[in-house]
Amino acid sequence: MAYTPGEQWIRLLRGYAPVAENSAMTAEHIGRLEKRTGIPPIRFPHPGREKLFEAVLAKGDLPKNVILTGTAGEGKTTLCYELFEEIAGRPPNEELGFETIPFQIGSETTQITFIYDVTGWRQIENGHLLPEQVAVLARFARSVFDQNNEFFVIAVNDGQLHEIFAYLPDQAPEELAKLHAEVSQLHSKSLEISQARLRLINLSNISNSEVVMQSCLSALLERKEWRCFQDEANHPLFAPSSSLYRNYQLLRSPAVRGRLVTLAQIADAAGYHMSIRGVLCLLSNALLGNPAARDGVLRPTPGIGKLLEQEPHRAALHRTFFGDHLSPVARNKREVYRLLTMLQIGAETTNDLDELLIFGPFDPRLQETYEKVVAPDPYAQRNPELAPLAREYVRGELTPEDTAKLLRELAAERRRLFLTADEEAVAKLNLWHTSVFHFAGDYIQKVLNPVRSGHPVAHTLLQRIIAGLNRAWTGLLLSTKPDELYLCTGLDVTTATVSDVLCAQIDIAGNGNSRIEVRLCPKTKQPVLLIEVGPRNFEFRLTLTRFEFLCRVADGTMPGSFSRESAEDFAMLKQRCIAAIAPTPNPQVINGIRITPSGKIERAPIHLPLA
Amino acid sequence: MILAEENILPYTGSKAQHGLWLAEALWGHRIERQPASALLLEFLSMAEGMHRQEKLLSHPPEHNSYIPHLSTQLRNLLFNNPTLEETFQEIHDEELRWETWLQTMHTHAVTNQEALRNFSYLRDRFESFQSLVEVVQLLRNISLGPNTERRWTYMLLFPIGPAAFYDERSLKAGKDGLERTRVLFTRTGELAYLMLSRSRLEIRSEIAVYLAKALDPAAPKNLLLLRLMSGKRPDTGEEKSGTYLPYLQHPAFDRLGEDVLALFRLNLPGEDTFAHLGPLLAFHLLLYQFETANAVLGVEGLPPLICEILARKPSLVRRASVGSHNDNESLGTNAVERLVASKLDADQELKQALEDTGLEEGDRCEIFKQKLEGIFAFKKTEELKGVTVEELRNDFRRKAKQVYADAGGDAVSSLAQQCGLASKIKTTQYRYAPSDKFLRNLVYVTVRKPIKESDFLRLVYQRYRIVIGPEEAKETVRDELFSAPEFERNTERLLRRLMAMGLAHRMSDSFTYILNPLSQNNGN
């Protein structure tokens, strides 16, 4: 079958989507598709490229052996291919999985061995690696410690990094045990540079989700192959009525692109990592997803025109992006969809928002906002059944089945708004309240953005964080606008639910001896809260989950009732904070506390007899 | 090694007071049901008593006597003082408040020393009656088991200082004084202390340094307690002694010592260590009981503790953990049975008498009963049912098992619950389903630097025989209850729990490191 250029592009793009044949998608799979379609894969400068190239092609320094690790789909193999091509001047043989080539260092010719993916390379017989593979690893170990005349670049997943050593036979060379110890030491402590001739580069630590999302969006949306929308406009797949066309146009819009980048920031802040493979899967599925298609993903087949005519709103971007059309099994297999499920976008709501969605078209108070924010739907994404359902609901004429349907459609509409609304509308309609993180918007705008640009967070925000901390750490209802952080413990344990002994109070504004600030951790590029008293300090990652907890507790939610896990997390943080700060006790006084009417803590000192 | 004659300390006390000297001979005098808080305080009370003798964890094995604190005035003030708040609220004149309340206390306080009835020293120590009320309320907040139905004489305080490590007392019949009792302090805490005192020298020496800090009478929180008492030190009771731990060496002693030391080395702030120490002691007493029982049964080491990390639905893992719990509970009974048989079989005199055809069965029965009294200090031989030696032997065996089940067996069950290892949640039967607190303790004492999940599972298996993952289950779980995927899910549940508790960090392809944030202090 002859494919048009547009169709070939879609065939390649489908290779990234969550379909059965690529459930274990690798660089090799895309490589094969490239050969079949003649379309180059989606590429962009990998954030880890510079680090890898610098370690191996070290200018003015000796090359290092490199272990390249990170989440599956992070681009380890692709990076190895790129380095190989740089050194060899030819593409790698992808079928081999293992290649050794000459490597010129100045006037000296050495050799370099690539293992593109340890999983594919290793062969286990009777519970042990093949002897020739043990020999390769032994050469690697000698290169690391004895600095012989060859080098290695090895791509491996975190788990397999340790597993490979477990497959060594009992009589394996001693230096392999030494190598295992060295690798474990670096890996467990997230260290990169070894004292020996080795770098352990963890791509997941280099490429955060935000960078990955931005890179993938640009690399995908700016491909010249999209001219198929002009060149093949008569093709049903590329016609303006096609879900692919509509979703592509919407995905290109600044509001949607911006929201996706924000979601990636949220992922980082919540401790999730989006891999390159995960994001490309998400985006290709958002474009090609269609419940009427086989596997739920479009492909150029005869009869595609008829398929695209079936209820086009069901292939709307706000549905395909979240993987609505995929089976729960297909979604759960992928970390990126597990993240979206966890965020629960659209699942929660506010009265104001539902009022707007239901009564907006006819209530004069709401009409203006409705026309501005909700009504615009240039790519026919909204389910046309929503409006009649809402009308019948207002009249009280809905059956229980239709009520359930209305609720589902309202959730979908909230997702559509969440994805497509501009920042102003997101703030005005409190759209983050439709997700599990009500304060995610504040987190991005008031915490992450300022600290990344080197600015302090606003005093009012710091007060809010400290209000949450004071309530979580004392168990008492204290001021919502505090001036101080109270480090209190129980008379018995530091983690007492109600802590009524004051150990220290620290000015939020800081003084010569102490300070509290939110700053950027240079290593993780994520915000941390620093509490410093004299020469001692304590800091903890201010993750989105922790920020959410603090904001909600500051607003009056009981710590234990909001999240038992978060409450326990903060109890343990307090224990560590007090251990680190080690407030010097006055041997003559125990500071009991009283709460003033303004919600401040006042000392009620208990004087002690002399020993 | 455990049961070698030279490893057993002779019991020098009188066995006559014991109805049956059997479980005591095996595990010591004695393991009995005890709340974890009482276990901890009895342990600390003995440690404190030894510290005053300057023998903390460094005394000959046969030395077990100490004089405990009573802290009578403190206890009356905190727990036998119902009119304090009432006086403060209803009487507004400061002078009258003091007078009225002091008079009431003088009348109602229960003490064995008349001088301790006088609380007037408090007037000079508190600037106002209100400040006394506040201090009493502050201290009442740290009473242990505040919602229990315990009488006030049994109320305990969180161990904030040595004055809070006081011996329990009951009211005399006429409620005009206090007398010794062994309701809460069943000696099990003392047994834990003796175990620790027989751990390796370098371990107990270091623990003694840490403990001595907690036993410092000049520590601020202890001064707070002393402020409520008239003397410079708490009043004390009679000398306590008689707790017996049979073995000079035992793997459980060093294991306990290592874990207690690991806990102290975390340098937790304030008295936080004690919140973990009580359950840890309970866990190690449990392991001691199991390992000793196994030794009697000819099995070296600990039995497996197959754990279900709480799952929503029943599974093979749950069945295996119920089975493991039941098997281990019956170890003690089996050991008692084996001990009875081996002691009787080993007695040559008895053997000869039983084989003597010239003796009537009635005479043999008499000789058998005398032997029971001699070997097991069993005096109620007339209660044994049977007219033949065989019948008497069977009845004695039944009685011995019953006596064990009522005390030692009950204690084993209680220890497993107190340490957070056993639970009935989502089932009608107890099984090993460790609580979050148990898991936290486990990580705190075993993990010093981040370790791989598989290494952690192996470590807790090798050290405590705790079985969670498929590799360890394969070695211990009966075939019909073993399912690798179910134990993999069990592991996954463990890792998720640990991650939620900040005790694990997940890398790619579900590879997880277990970490101890207190050991690292890495500010996660």
Side-chain angles (χ1 to χ4, degrees):
Chain A
M1 180 177 169
Y3 292 102
T4 67
E7 288 176 335
Q8 295 288 32
W9 164 232
I10 297 307
R11 287 180 71 209
L12 178 93
L13 193 55
R14 197 174 189 276
Y16 294 95
V19 289
E21 60 258 41
N22 72 354
S23 58
M25 189 190 77
T26 59
E28 293 86 346
H29 175 71
I30 292 296
R32 282 193 291 275
L33 272 172
E34 180 186 6
K35 282 179 192 151
R36 267 188 252 151
T37 60
I39 307 283
I42 298 170
R43 288 242 167 89
F44 52 85
H46 194 288
R49 188 177 191 272
E50 194 181 333
K51 211 159 229 186
L52 171 69
F53 278 48
E54 184 263 318
V56 178
L57 307 173
K59 301 274 187 290
D61 196 2
L62 280 175
K64 311 289 182 302
N65 294 288
V66 172
I67 294 176
L68 209 51
T69 184
T71 313
E74 201 65 77
K76 299 184 288 291
T77 307
T78 307
L79 265 187
C80 279
Y81 288 169
E82 286 180 24
L83 179 63
F84 180 96
E85 205 159 339
E86 177 84 14
I87 295 171
R90 65 167 173 87
N93 185 341
E94 294 169 11
E95 305 302 321
L96 289 178
F98 164 83
E99 281 187 275
T100 300
I101 51 171
F103 183 32
Q104 196 71 30
I105 307 170
S107 58
E108 195 183 353
T109 303
T110 63
Q111 63 175 25
I112 185 164
T113 297
F114 287 83
I115 301 177
Y116 302 125
D117 181 2
V118 165
T119 322
W121 169 74
R122 67 164 204 214
Q123 290 179 55
I124 311 295
E125 247 180 41
N126 301 323
H128 295 305
L129 270 183
L130 293 181
E132 55 267 34
Q133 295 187 326
V134 176
V136 171
L137 290 180
R139 277 169 40 211
F140 174 43
R142 280 193 290 277
S143 173
V144 169
F145 297 111
D146 301 339
Q147 315 221 337
N148 61 7
N149 214 15
E150 63 173 334
F151 298 90
F152 288 79
V153 175
I154 297 177
V156 60
N157 287 353
D158 293 303
Q160 283 140 14
L161 180 63
H162 291 283
E163 212 171 74
I164 194 79
F165 290 101
Y167 288 124
L168 292 175
D170 294 341
Q171 67 279 15
E174 275 178 23
E175 55 266 33
L176 281 173
K178 196 173 165 190
L179 179 66
H180 188 196
E182 183 66 18
V183 169
S184 298
Q185 154 92 352
L186 295 176
H187 192 241
S188 64
K189 294 185 176 167
S190 295
L191 298 174
E192 188 176 309
I193 299 173
S194 158
Q195 294 301 313
R197 195 168 69 175
L198 176 67
R199 294 277 185 280
L200 192 145
I201 300 176
N202 187 340
L203 293 182
S204 303
N205 291 346
I206 299 170
S207 53
N208 62 37
S209 307
E210 184 184 351
V211 173
V212 169
M213 179 62 84
Q214 277 169 334
S215 304
C216 290
L217 277 169
S218 302
L220 174 65
L221 297 177
E222 286 155 25
R223 286 288 291 242
K224 63 180 179 357
E225 284 81 0
W226 289 120
R227 68 172 178 249
C228 56
F229 289 127
Q230 290 85 48
D231 296 353
E232 301 174 39
N234 292 329
H235 192 302
L237 201 48
F238 307 118
S241 59
S242 136
S243 61
L244 173 61
Y245 176 86
R246 293 170 175 184
N247 290 349
Y248 173 74
Q249 297 302 340
L250 204 50
L251 193 57
R252 285 180 66 202
S253 69
V256 174
R257 279 181 75 153
R259 194 63 22 81
L260 297 200
V261 172
T262 303
L263 277 177
Q265 290 176 321
I266 293 296
D268 286 329
Y272 283 75
H273 179 70
M274 290 174 140
S275 66
I276 294 171
R277 184 189 299 174
V279 171
L280 286 176
C281 171
L282 199 65
L283 297 180
S284 56
N285 184 53
L287 291 169
L288 299 177
N290 191 311
R294 201 178 104 188
D295 286 337
V297 181
L298 291 174
R299 60 164 153 190
T301 49
I304 185 80
K306 281 211 161 43
L307 186 149
L308 285 166
E309 286 167 12
Q310 297 173 29
E311 299 186 290
H313 68 271
R314 291 183 60 210
L317 187 75
H318 63 278
R319 296 179 194 268
T320 57
F321 178 78
F322 290 98
D324 280 4
H325 59 295
L326 301 175
S327 70
V329 175
R331 271 203 309 269
N332 275 334
K333 260 201 281 189
R334 291 164 176 85
E335 175 80 11
V336 72
Y337 287 111
R338 290 201 291 271
L339 164 71
L340 291 180
T341 304
M342 182 276 290
L343 291 176
Q344 295 275 305
I345 291 166
E348 296 192 26
T349 189
T350 61
N351 287 343
D352 288 350
L353 184 58
D354 277 0
E355 207 171 61
L356 179 70
L357 296 180
I358 294 170
F359 301 103
F362 10 87
D363 187 330
R365 287 180 307 119
L366 304 169
Q367 254 166 354
E368 189 187 337
T369 309
Y370 185 86
E371 290 304 325
K372 192 176 168 198
V373 182
V374 184
D377 183 20
Y379 299 106
Q381 302 275 296
R382 188 190 299 121
N383 185 349
E385 287 180 64
L386 177 61
L389 276 170
R391 273 197 301 277
E392 283 171 38
Y393 167 75
V394 174
R395 290 187 200 128
E397 293 171 358
L398 278 188
T399 62
E401 293 77 26
D402 281 345
T403 306
K405 192 172 179 185
L406 172 67
L407 293 177
R408 278 199 305 277
E409 288 307 322
L410 282 174
E413 186 65 356
R414 290 193 290 266
R415 282 185 175 189
R416 184 181 75 81
L417 285 179
F418 177 86
L419 213 52
T420 57
D422 59 25
E423 285 300 333
E424 190 190 336
V426 168
K428 187 176 179 188
L429 301 181
N430 274 333
L431 286 178
W432 281 108
H433 280 249
T434 68
S435 81
V436 76
F437 293 116
H438 293 190
F439 295 91
D442 283 354
Y443 183 83
I444 300 290
Q445 283 162 16
K446 298 178 181 172
V447 178
L448 198 59
N449 291 346
V451 296
R452 279 194 177 169
S453 46
H455 297 120
V457 301
H459 182 72
T460 48
L461 187 89
L462 197 55
Q463 271 187 316
R464 180 176 224 178
I465 291 171
I466 300 305
L469 264 186
N470 278 342
R471 287 189 174 182
W473 281 3
T474 62
L476 302 167
L477 201 62
L478 299 173
S479 165
T480 53
K481 293 200 185 319
D483 299 319
E484 293 171 313
L485 169 70
Y486 302 113
L487 285 183
C488 290
T489 70
L491 189 62
D492 45 3
V493 290
T494 53
T495 52
T497 316
V498 175
S499 294
D500 46 13
V501 174
L502 184 66
C503 299
Q505 49 202 110
I506 304 158
D507 278 355
I508 296 180
N511 57 36
N513 188 37
S514 65
R515 67 184 165 133
I516 299 174
E517 72 175 23
V518 178
R519 65 178 186 182
L520 201 67
C521 169
K523 192 172 163 193
T524 62
K525 307 286 182 224
Q526 295 294 320
V528 291
L529 183 77
L530 170 78
I531 300 166
E532 192 170 270
V533 179
R536 298 169 190 266
N537 67 64
F538 176 73
E539 67 176 31
F540 63 86
R541 268 192 72 183
L542 189 60
T543 60
L544 177 58
T545 311
R546 286 173 174 167
F547 180 76
E548 180 79 20
F549 175 82
L550 291 174
C551 289
R552 291 206 190 195
V553 169
D555 284 355
T557 306
M558 292 284 285
S561 65
F562 170 61
S563 159
R564 192 176 65 87
E565 278 177 6
S566 288
E568 199 181 327
D569 177 34
F570 274 92
M572 293 302 132
L573 283 177
K574 179 169 81 159
Q575 187 182 54
R576 286 164 51 201
C577 177
I578 288 179
I581 301 246
T584 316
N586 181 342
Q588 301 305 310
V589 175
I590 285 178
N591 281 309
I593 56 171
R594 288 193 197 106
I595 302 172
T596 65
S598 60
K600 293 188 176 179
I601 279 182
E602 191 177 82
R603 289 166 195 247
I606 302 164
H607 295 278
L608 304 172
L610 291 173
Chain B
M1 180 280 264
I2 294 174
L3 299 175
E5 207 168 315
E6 61 275 14
N7 189 41
I8 295 179
L9 186 73
Y11 181 66
T12 53
S14 164
K15 294 178 189 171
Q17 57 178 316
H18 303 279
L20 182 62
W21 184 259
L22 192 55
E24 286 82 353
L26 267 185
W27 293 288
H29 178 49
R30 65 188 178 249
I31 296 184
E32 262 192 29
R33 176 179 279 272
Q34 188 172 35
S37 53
L39 171 70
L40 173 68
L41 280 160
E42 191 180 33
F43 167 87
L44 289 170
S45 179
M46 186 164 189
E48 195 279 330
M50 293 296 182
H51 185 52
R52 264 185 285 132
Q53 298 174 53
E54 298 182 354
K55 289 178 180 169
L56 179 60
L57 296 176
S58 63
H59 45 80
E62 59 275 9
H63 182 84
N64 59 11
S65 56
Y66 67 101
I67 295 173
H69 283 157
L70 286 186
S71 304
T72 308
Q73 288 173 316
L74 174 72
R75 294 157 82 175
N76 271 289
L77 277 169
L78 298 186
F79 307 123
N80 185 33
N81 182 9
T83 62
L84 183 74
E85 284 89 349
E86 192 184 298
T87 310
F88 175 64
Q89 280 161 7
E90 291 181 3
I91 302 175
H92 300 289
D93 180 79
E94 183 75 1
E95 191 63 24
L96 192 58
R97 273 176 182 161
W98 278 109
E99 269 179 30
T100 311
W101 177 77
L102 285 171
Q103 184 57 47
T104 311
M105 284 304 281
H106 193 270
T107 314
H108 287 101
V110 180
T111 162
N112 292 346
Q113 296 178 50
E114 207 46 36
L116 299 181
R117 228 171 249 295
N118 183 357
F119 290 85
S120 56
Y121 60 92
L122 293 169
R123 287 185 77 158
D124 300 329
R125 295 189 186 176
F126 288 89
E127 62 202 37
S128 66
F129 194 77
Q130 182 184 357
S131 45
L132 170 68
V133 174
E134 284 173 352
V135 168
V136 168
Q137 284 172 342
L138 189 68
L139 285 167
R140 278 180 185 160
N141 285 343
I142 61 161
S143 62
L144 297 168
N147 302 321
T148 55
E149 299 282 311
R150 279 182 207 158
R151 277 190 166 182
W152 73 267
T153 55
Y154 294 107
M155 292 299 284
L156 303 173
L157 269 186
F158 187 88
I160 57 170
F165 314 161
Y166 47 74
D167 198 21
E168 67 167 340
R169 283 291 180 271
S170 64
L171 281 178
K172 283 182 181 168
K175 298 188 178 179
D176 58 348
L178 301 166
E179 62 186 4
R180 287 175 69 162
T181 181
R182 286 249 182 221
V183 175
L184 283 177
F185 287 11
T186 60
R187 294 186 191 269
T188 311
E190 293 180 352
L191 216 50
Y193 170 83
L194 290 177
M195 284 170 64
L196 200 59
S197 74
R198 294 185 201 172
S199 59
R200 285 198 312 276
L201 177 65
E202 72 271 19
I203 297 174
R204 59 185 155 91
S205 306
E206 195 177 337
I207 293 172
V209 175
Y210 283 109
L211 261 180
K213 281 185 207 160
L215 300 173
D216 179 8
K221 287 181 187 171
N222 196 55
L223 294 180
L224 178 67
L225 298 172
L226 289 176
R227 197 178 184 210
L228 295 176
M229 290 184 267
S230 55
K232 286 201 165 180
R233 295 186 183 286
D235 54 312
T236 54
E238 311 85 348
E239 183 179 84
K240 289 180 87 174
S241 64
T243 300
Y244 169 63
L245 177 65
Y247 309 106
L248 295 171
Q249 292 182 331
H250 195 295
F253 302 167
D254 286 344
R255 192 168 46 226
L256 166 68
E258 286 157 5
D259 283 5
V260 170
L261 183 56
L263 187 61
F264 274 118
R265 279 181 177 166
L266 294 177
N267 286 312
L268 294 174
E271 283 72 38
D272 285 7
T273 303
F274 292 143
H276 300 273
L277 187 59
L280 193 68
L281 294 177
F283 178 52
H284 281 276
L285 281 159
L286 183 74
L287 298 181
Y288 162 72
Q289 205 276 353
F290 287 159
E291 196 163 9
T292 309
N294 253 356
V296 174
L297 295 169
V299 179
E300 196 181 335
L302 289 163
L305 308 168
I306 300 165
C307 294
E308 175 202 329
I309 306 301
L310 193 60
R312 286 183 189 166
K313 293 178 183 169
S315 66
L316 282 181
V317 178
R318 183 168 296 173
R319 284 175 56 197
S321 68
V322 169
S324 168
H325 179 269
N326 293 346
D327 288 349
N328 294 343
E329 294 266 299
S330 61
L331 281 178
T333 314
N334 296 343
V336 163
E337 198 168 358
R338 180 73 65 88
L339 187 70
V340 168
S342 66
K343 290 263 185 199
L344 290 176
D345 292 346
D347 193 301
Q348 287 305 317
E349 209 179 296
L350 180 63
K351 197 175 173 190
Q352 277 173 13
L354 296 181
E355 286 169 359
D356 186 347
T357 49
L359 285 176
E360 295 289 322
E361 188 64 19
D363 297 335
R364 289 201 196 102
C365 285
E366 275 314 304
I367 294 171
F368 182 74
K369 285 178 178 175
Q370 284 167 19
K371 281 293 169 192
L372 291 184
E373 198 167 339
I375 301 170
F376 302 112
F378 182 62
K379 282 181 256 6
K380 296 181 179 172
T381 50
E382 72 283 356
E383 289 178 5
L384 290 179
K385 290 173 189 154
V387 291
T388 66
V389 170
E390 195 55 35
E391 285 170 356
L392 289 176
R393 188 180 170 121
N394 286 342
D395 198 42
F396 176 69
R397 191 165 53 213
R398 184 191 58 74
K399 203 171 261 307
K401 282 159 66 175
Q402 187 57 53
V403 169
Y404 165 76
D406 289 346
D410 181 48
V412 168
S413 185
S414 158
L415 286 170
Q417 295 154 40
Q418 301 285 352
C419 70
L421 178 62
S423 155
K424 245 163 73 166
I425 189 166
K426 286 186 183 279
T427 54
T428 52
Q429 290 174 287
Y430 276 107
R431 69 192 186 291
Y432 297 129
S435 66
D436 284 359
K437 280 187 179 164
F438 181 87
L439 295 174
R440 186 177 290 282
N441 266 353
L442 204 58
V443 172
Y444 277 6
V445 299
T446 56
V447 178
R448 281 159 199 79
K449 57 181 184 181
I451 60 170
K452 291 183 286 171
E453 59 187 65
S454 54
D455 288 354
F456 176 72
L457 293 178
R458 203 70 204 162
L459 173 68
V460 297
Y461 176 67
Q462 287 171 342
R463 188 164 174 76
Y464 314 110
R465 294 270 281 160
I466 286 177
V467 176
I468 295 171
E471 286 301 312
E472 293 72 28
K474 199 162 59 185
E475 295 174 23
T476 48
V477 176
R478 292 201 301 275
D479 286 351
E480 68 271 24
L481 295 179
F482 176 70
S483 155
E486 289 210 15
F487 277 94
E488 272 162 23
R489 283 195 283 276
N490 202 39
T491 306
E492 180 59 23
R493 287 195 295 273
L494 170 78
L495 298 176
R496 287 187 183 278
R497 288 269 7 103
L498 294 181
M499 278 189 282
M501 291 157 69
L503 300 173
H505 174 57
R506 180 153 276 186
M507 314 285 281
S508 69
D509 53 351
S510 299
F511 178 78
T512 311
Y513 279 111
I514 313 298
L515 47 93
N516 177 350
L518 290 165
S519 168
Q520 279 187 327
N521 199 16
N522 60 1
N524 255 330

